[in-house]
Amino acid sequence: MAPKIFGIESLAEISLDSGARLTLRDGPLQLGWKHSGMTSDFIAKIMALPYSRSRKDYLQAHHDIGYLSNELIENAVKFRQPGEILIEAGIIDGSFLLRVKNAVDSATASRFQQLLHRLQSKEPGVLLLEQIEINAISPESGSGLGLLTLLSDYDARMAWTFENNDEHIALTTTAAVAMPPSSNR
């Protein structure tokens, strides 16, 4: 079966072979939230280095890369099936790109695809405000605030690819955010 792609298809096709690649593996310590923060901070420190000539640009790049990385890795850890999480990162054409691949079950894939259809129906800023109101009324509503914040406040460009395998569905999330212009470095 052909992969199902949501979002910006061309983004899903970009090669990150020249970037950094990390694999988070299950083990005796179990993957958890703390791994998301440590991994995203590591990625932010490394990927923001080209902007270190300007403290302002470095801090902005570090913040944006760290936020994007943390949201995507947290979601992969939170919603994954047992197994490894592949993370690829790079800076291409003035944008930081992050790709996270993990396995999900069919119920999770279905719920997420419904959310992605909803994202196509309205502007991210409108959906963000609606979700904040829903969360205020019902805290157990399953927020989605991180993803909506990336789309609304960070102008992230995103793509999601769902590929059916024998035992699970491989979900690949690719996101890009603009970095400070190179003329300021």
Short mmCIF file of all heavy atoms in Angstrom, two decimals, residues 56-93:
data_model
loop_
_atom_site.label_atom_id
_atom_site.label_comp_id
_atom_site.label_asym_id
_atom_site.label_seq_id
_atom_site.Cartn_x
_atom_site.Cartn_y
_atom_site.Cartn_z
N LYS A 56 22.15 37.06 19.61
CA LYS A 56 20.70 37.13 19.37
C LYS A 56 20.26 36.01 18.42
O LYS A 56 19.29 35.31 18.67
CB LYS A 56 20.32 38.50 18.81
CG LYS A 56 18.86 38.64 18.49
CD LYS A 56 18.57 39.98 17.84
CE LYS A 56 17.15 40.02 17.36
NZ LYS A 56 16.92 41.02 16.34
N ASP A 57 20.98 35.85 17.30
CA ASP A 57 20.63 34.82 16.32
C ASP A 57 20.80 33.43 16.92
O ASP A 57 19.97 32.55 16.68
CB ASP A 57 21.49 34.94 15.06
CG ASP A 57 21.12 36.16 14.22
OD1 ASP A 57 20.07 36.78 14.48
OD2 ASP A 57 21.90 36.48 13.30
N TYR A 58 21.89 33.24 17.67
CA TYR A 58 22.12 31.93 18.29
C TYR A 58 20.99 31.57 19.25
O TYR A 58 20.44 30.46 19.21
CB TYR A 58 23.47 31.89 19.03
CG TYR A 58 23.66 30.60 19.78
CD1 TYR A 58 24.10 29.46 19.11
CD2 TYR A 58 23.38 30.50 21.14
CE1 TYR A 58 24.25 28.25 19.78
CE2 TYR A 58 23.53 29.31 21.81
CZ TYR A 58 23.97 28.18 21.14
OH TYR A 58 24.10 27.00 21.81
N LEU A 59 20.62 32.52 20.11
CA LEU A 59 19.56 32.26 21.09
C LEU A 59 18.22 31.98 20.40
O LEU A 59 17.48 31.09 20.81
CB LEU A 59 19.43 33.41 22.08
CG LEU A 59 20.60 33.59 23.05
CD1 LEU A 59 20.42 34.86 23.88
CD2 LEU A 59 20.77 32.37 23.94
N GLN A 60 17.93 32.73 19.33
CA GLN A 60 16.69 32.51 18.59
C GLN A 60 16.70 31.14 17.91
O GLN A 60 15.73 30.39 17.98
CB GLN A 60 16.47 33.61 17.54
CG GLN A 60 15.14 33.50 16.83
CD GLN A 60 13.96 33.75 17.78
OE1 GLN A 60 13.94 34.75 18.49
NE2 GLN A 60 13.00 32.85 17.79
N ALA A 61 17.81 30.81 17.25
CA ALA A 61 17.92 29.51 16.58
C ALA A 61 17.83 28.38 17.60
O ALA A 61 17.10 27.40 17.39
CB ALA A 61 19.23 29.43 15.79
N HIS A 62 18.55 28.51 18.71
CA HIS A 62 18.53 27.48 19.75
C HIS A 62 17.11 27.28 20.28
O HIS A 62 16.64 26.15 20.44
CB HIS A 62 19.49 27.86 20.89
CG HIS A 62 19.62 26.82 21.93
ND1 HIS A 62 18.69 26.64 22.94
CD2 HIS A 62 20.58 25.87 22.13
CE1 HIS A 62 19.06 25.65 23.72
NE2 HIS A 62 20.21 25.16 23.24
N HIS A 63 16.43 28.38 20.54
CA HIS A 63 15.06 28.29 21.07
C HIS A 63 14.13 27.61 20.06
O HIS A 63 13.39 26.69 20.42
CB HIS A 63 14.52 29.68 21.40
CG HIS A 63 13.07 29.68 21.72
ND1 HIS A 63 12.57 29.27 22.94
CD2 HIS A 63 11.98 29.98 20.96
CE1 HIS A 63 11.25 29.33 22.91
NE2 HIS A 63 10.87 29.77 21.72
N ASP A 64 14.13 28.07 18.81
CA ASP A 64 13.22 27.52 17.80
C ASP A 64 13.51 26.04 17.54
O ASP A 64 12.59 25.22 17.46
CB ASP A 64 13.32 28.31 16.50
CG ASP A 64 12.77 29.74 16.63
OD1 ASP A 64 12.22 30.08 17.70
OD2 ASP A 64 12.89 30.50 15.65
N ILE A 65 14.79 25.71 17.39
CA ILE A 65 15.17 24.31 17.15
C ILE A 65 14.80 23.46 18.35
O ILE A 65 14.26 22.35 18.20
CB ILE A 65 16.69 24.21 16.85
CG1 ILE A 65 16.99 24.85 15.49
CG2 ILE A 65 17.17 22.76 16.90
CD1 ILE A 65 18.47 25.07 15.22
N GLY A 66 15.07 23.96 19.55
CA GLY A 66 14.75 23.20 20.76
C GLY A 66 13.26 22.96 20.93
O GLY A 66 12.84 21.85 21.28
N TYR A 67 12.46 23.98 20.68
CA TYR A 67 11.00 23.83 20.83
C TYR A 67 10.45 22.83 19.82
O TYR A 67 9.71 21.91 20.17
CB TYR A 67 10.29 25.18 20.68
CG TYR A 67 8.82 25.08 21.00
CD1 TYR A 67 8.37 25.13 22.31
CD2 TYR A 67 7.88 24.89 19.99
CE1 TYR A 67 7.02 25.00 22.61
CE2 TYR A 67 6.52 24.77 20.28
CZ TYR A 67 6.11 24.82 21.59
OH TYR A 67 4.77 24.68 21.89
N LEU A 68 10.84 23.00 18.56
CA LEU A 68 10.38 22.09 17.50
C LEU A 68 10.81 20.66 17.81
O LEU A 68 9.99 19.73 17.77
CB LEU A 68 10.93 22.53 16.15
CG LEU A 68 10.66 21.59 14.98
CD1 LEU A 68 9.20 21.68 14.57
CD2 LEU A 68 11.55 21.92 13.82
N SER A 69 12.08 20.48 18.14
CA SER A 69 12.59 19.14 18.43
C SER A 69 11.88 18.52 19.61
O SER A 69 11.50 17.34 19.57
CB SER A 69 14.10 19.20 18.71
OG SER A 69 14.80 19.71 17.61
N ASN A 70 11.71 19.27 20.67
CA ASN A 70 11.07 18.73 21.86
C ASN A 70 9.64 18.29 21.58
O ASN A 70 9.21 17.22 22.01
CB ASN A 70 11.12 19.74 23.01
CG ASN A 70 10.77 19.10 24.32
OD1 ASN A 70 11.42 18.16 24.77
ND2 ASN A 70 9.70 19.58 24.95
N GLU A 71 8.88 19.11 20.86
CA GLU A 71 7.49 18.75 20.56
C GLU A 71 7.40 17.46 19.75
O GLU A 71 6.61 16.57 20.05
CB GLU A 71 6.78 19.88 19.82
CG GLU A 71 6.40 21.05 20.69
CD GLU A 71 5.48 20.67 21.83
OE1 GLU A 71 4.58 19.83 21.66
OE2 GLU A 71 5.67 21.23 22.93
N LEU A 72 8.22 17.35 18.71
CA LEU A 72 8.14 16.17 17.84
C LEU A 72 8.65 14.92 18.55
O LEU A 72 8.05 13.85 18.43
CB LEU A 72 8.91 16.40 16.54
CG LEU A 72 8.08 16.98 15.40
CD1 LEU A 72 7.42 18.29 15.75
CD2 LEU A 72 8.91 17.11 14.15
N ILE A 73 9.73 15.05 19.31
CA ILE A 73 10.27 13.88 20.01
C ILE A 73 9.34 13.47 21.14
O ILE A 73 9.09 12.28 21.35
CB ILE A 73 11.70 14.16 20.52
CG1 ILE A 73 12.63 14.38 19.32
CG2 ILE A 73 12.20 13.01 21.39
CD1 ILE A 73 14.00 14.93 19.68
N GLU A 74 8.79 14.43 21.89
CA GLU A 74 7.82 14.10 22.95
C GLU A 74 6.63 13.33 22.40
O GLU A 74 6.19 12.34 22.98
CB GLU A 74 7.30 15.39 23.61
CG GLU A 74 7.95 15.74 24.89
CD GLU A 74 7.30 16.95 25.54
OE1 GLU A 74 6.18 17.38 25.15
OE2 GLU A 74 7.91 17.47 26.48
N ASN A 75 6.09 13.79 21.27
CA ASN A 75 4.95 13.10 20.66
C ASN A 75 5.33 11.70 20.23
O ASN A 75 4.54 10.76 20.39
CB ASN A 75 4.38 13.91 19.49
CG ASN A 75 3.59 15.10 19.96
OD1 ASN A 75 3.19 15.20 21.11
ND2 ASN A 75 3.36 16.03 19.05
N ALA A 76 6.53 11.54 19.68
CA ALA A 76 6.98 10.21 19.25
C ALA A 76 7.10 9.27 20.45
O ALA A 76 6.69 8.11 20.39
CB ALA A 76 8.31 10.31 18.51
N VAL A 77 7.65 9.77 21.56
CA VAL A 77 7.78 8.97 22.77
C VAL A 77 6.40 8.64 23.36
O VAL A 77 6.12 7.51 23.73
CB VAL A 77 8.67 9.68 23.82
CG1 VAL A 77 8.60 9.00 25.17
CG2 VAL A 77 10.12 9.74 23.34
N LYS A 78 5.54 9.64 23.40
CA LYS A 78 4.23 9.49 24.03
C LYS A 78 3.31 8.52 23.29
O LYS A 78 2.60 7.73 23.91
CB LYS A 78 3.57 10.86 24.13
CG LYS A 78 2.24 10.88 24.83
CD LYS A 78 1.72 12.32 24.92
CE LYS A 78 0.38 12.41 25.56
NZ LYS A 78 -0.12 13.79 25.60
N PHE A 79 3.32 8.57 21.96
CA PHE A 79 2.34 7.83 21.18
C PHE A 79 2.90 6.61 20.46
O PHE A 79 2.19 5.98 19.69
CB PHE A 79 1.67 8.76 20.16
CG PHE A 79 0.89 9.87 20.80
CD1 PHE A 79 1.35 11.17 20.73
CD2 PHE A 79 -0.28 9.61 21.49
CE1 PHE A 79 0.64 12.21 21.34
CE2 PHE A 79 -0.99 10.63 22.09
CZ PHE A 79 -0.54 11.94 22.02
N ARG A 80 4.12 6.24 20.71
CA ARG A 80 4.78 5.18 19.96
C ARG A 80 4.41 3.78 20.44
O ARG A 80 3.97 3.59 21.56
CB ARG A 80 6.29 5.33 20.04
CG ARG A 80 6.80 4.94 21.43
CD ARG A 80 8.28 5.20 21.57
NE ARG A 80 8.65 5.00 22.95
CZ ARG A 80 8.94 3.83 23.47
NH1 ARG A 80 8.94 2.76 22.75
NH2 ARG A 80 9.24 3.72 24.74
N GLN A 81 4.64 2.84 19.55
CA GLN A 81 4.65 1.43 19.89
C GLN A 81 6.08 1.11 20.32
O GLN A 81 7.01 1.84 19.97
CB GLN A 81 4.28 0.58 18.66
CG GLN A 81 2.83 0.69 18.28
CD GLN A 81 1.96 0.01 19.32
OE1 GLN A 81 1.99 -1.19 19.48
NE2 GLN A 81 1.18 0.80 20.04
N PRO A 82 6.29 0.03 21.05
CA PRO A 82 7.67 -0.30 21.44
C PRO A 82 8.58 -0.38 20.22
O PRO A 82 8.19 -0.85 19.15
CB PRO A 82 7.52 -1.68 22.10
CG PRO A 82 6.11 -1.69 22.61
CD PRO A 82 5.32 -0.91 21.59
N GLY A 83 9.78 0.10 20.40
CA GLY A 83 10.75 0.10 19.32
C GLY A 83 11.52 1.40 19.31
O GLY A 83 11.34 2.25 20.17
N GLU A 84 12.36 1.54 18.32
CA GLU A 84 13.22 2.71 18.28
C GLU A 84 12.54 3.90 17.61
O GLU A 84 11.56 3.75 16.88
CB GLU A 84 14.54 2.38 17.60
CG GLU A 84 14.43 1.85 16.19
CD GLU A 84 15.76 1.37 15.66
OE1 GLU A 84 16.54 0.75 16.40
OE2 GLU A 84 16.01 1.61 14.47
N ILE A 85 13.11 5.06 17.89
CA ILE A 85 12.67 6.31 17.29
C ILE A 85 13.88 6.86 16.54
O ILE A 85 14.94 7.06 17.12
CB ILE A 85 12.20 7.32 18.36
CG1 ILE A 85 10.98 6.78 19.11
CG2 ILE A 85 11.89 8.67 17.72
CD1 ILE A 85 10.59 7.60 20.33
N LEU A 86 13.71 7.08 15.24
CA LEU A 86 14.78 7.62 14.41
C LEU A 86 14.57 9.12 14.29
O LEU A 86 13.48 9.59 13.97
CB LEU A 86 14.77 6.97 13.02
CG LEU A 86 15.78 7.53 12.01
CD1 LEU A 86 17.21 7.24 12.47
CD2 LEU A 86 15.53 6.93 10.64
N ILE A 87 15.64 9.88 14.53
CA ILE A 87 15.60 11.34 14.45
C ILE A 87 16.67 11.80 13.47
O ILE A 87 17.84 11.41 13.59
CB ILE A 87 15.87 11.97 15.84
CG1 ILE A 87 14.85 11.45 16.85
CG2 ILE A 87 15.85 13.49 15.75
CD1 ILE A 87 15.27 11.69 18.30
N GLU A 88 16.27 12.61 12.50
CA GLU A 88 17.21 13.20 11.55
C GLU A 88 17.04 14.71 11.59
O GLU A 88 15.91 15.20 11.67
CB GLU A 88 16.93 12.69 10.13
CG GLU A 88 17.11 11.20 9.96
CD GLU A 88 16.69 10.74 8.59
OE1 GLU A 88 15.49 10.85 8.28
OE2 GLU A 88 17.57 10.29 7.84
N ALA A 89 18.16 15.42 11.54
CA ALA A 89 18.10 16.89 11.61
C ALA A 89 19.15 17.49 10.70
O ALA A 89 20.22 16.92 10.48
CB ALA A 89 18.35 17.34 13.05
N GLY A 90 18.82 18.67 10.16
CA GLY A 90 19.77 19.37 9.32
C GLY A 90 19.27 20.77 9.02
O GLY A 90 18.11 21.10 9.24
N ILE A 91 20.18 21.59 8.53
CA ILE A 91 19.82 22.94 8.09
C ILE A 91 19.98 22.97 6.58
O ILE A 91 21.07 22.71 6.05
CB ILE A 91 20.67 24.02 8.78
CG1 ILE A 91 20.39 23.98 10.29
CG2 ILE A 91 20.37 25.40 8.19
CD1 ILE A 91 21.19 24.94 11.11
N ILE A 92 18.87 23.22 5.90
CA ILE A 92 18.84 23.20 4.44
C ILE A 92 18.14 24.47 3.95
O ILE A 92 17.02 24.76 4.39
CB ILE A 92 18.10 21.95 3.92
CG1 ILE A 92 18.83 20.68 4.38
CG2 ILE A 92 17.97 21.99 2.40
CD1 ILE A 92 18.10 19.40 4.09
N ASP A 93 18.81 25.19 3.07
CA ASP A 93 18.22 26.38 2.45
C ASP A 93 17.63 27.36 3.47
O ASP A 93 16.51 27.84 3.30
CB ASP A 93 17.17 26.00 1.41
CG ASP A 93 17.75 25.22 0.25
OD1 ASP A 93 18.94 25.44 -0.08
OD2 ASP A 93 17.01 24.40 -0.33
#
